[in-house]
Amino acid sequence: MEQFKKECLAEIGKRLYECRTNRKWSQLYVAEKMNVSTNTISAIENGAQQFNLMILLRFSELYGVSTDYILKGEILDPEDSELFKKITKLPIMEQRRVLAAINAFYEIC
């Protein structure tokens, strides 16, 4: 059981490392955004430290990936999401307004 836990943490750490490096972000940048130490980010990415649900959610939001991706490496089909289904039912002009609002949100973050 302990070996399984270590392997899982290592895989999670690898995915988090890839998320960070694909964005060309430093550990310091991520640590500051998440309000943790760089040692914490390093230990998590190396699979040496467990983390709680709040940290998982912060990673998910910061990297713009699902918690399923972080934990299991699963990429969800966006067409299966409730948000996608609701947006596609809107008239095209309303869809464009939703997209503009999302873009504006990302500009202020």
Side-chain angles (χ1 to χ4, degrees):
M1 183 68 153
E2 187 66 30
Q3 182 63 28
F4 176 75
K5 187 169 138 182
K6 286 180 183 179
E7 289 172 9
C8 287
L9 288 174
E11 288 298 315
I12 290 168
K14 180 180 174 184
R15 283 188 288 278
L16 292 171
Y17 170 82
E18 288 171 357
C19 285
R20 179 179 61 78
T21 58
N22 286 344
R23 288 161 180 77
K24 297 180 175 46
W25 291 347
S26 68
Q27 286 183 343
L28 177 60
Y29 178 81
V30 171
E32 288 174 350
K33 289 288 187 186
M34 295 190 49
N35 199 29
V36 298
S37 72
T38 54
N39 288 341
T40 298
I41 299 299
S42 177
I44 291 171
E45 287 182 355
N46 288 309
Q49 181 173 326
Q50 295 182 42
F51 51 92
N52 64 30
L53 180 59
M54 291 308 297
I55 297 290
L56 173 63
L57 293 174
R58 285 188 204 154
F59 275 126
S60 175
E61 290 174 4
L62 181 64
Y63 293 142
V65 298
S66 71
T67 55
D68 281 347
Y69 174 74
I70 294 171
L71 295 174
K72 301 184 283 182
E74 293 179 3
I75 299 174
L76 302 176
D77 183 351
E79 293 183 12
D80 289 338
S81 76
E82 182 179 349
L83 179 61
F84 179 83
K85 290 174 185 174
K86 287 183 178 181
I87 290 173
T88 55
K89 288 180 184 177
L90 295 171
I92 191 70
M93 291 306 295
E94 293 301 315
Q95 290 179 25
R96 289 182 180 148
R97 286 187 183 132
V98 170
L99 180 58
I102 291 169
N103 289 333
F105 174 77
Y106 276 101
E107 288 177 12
I108 62 172
C109 289

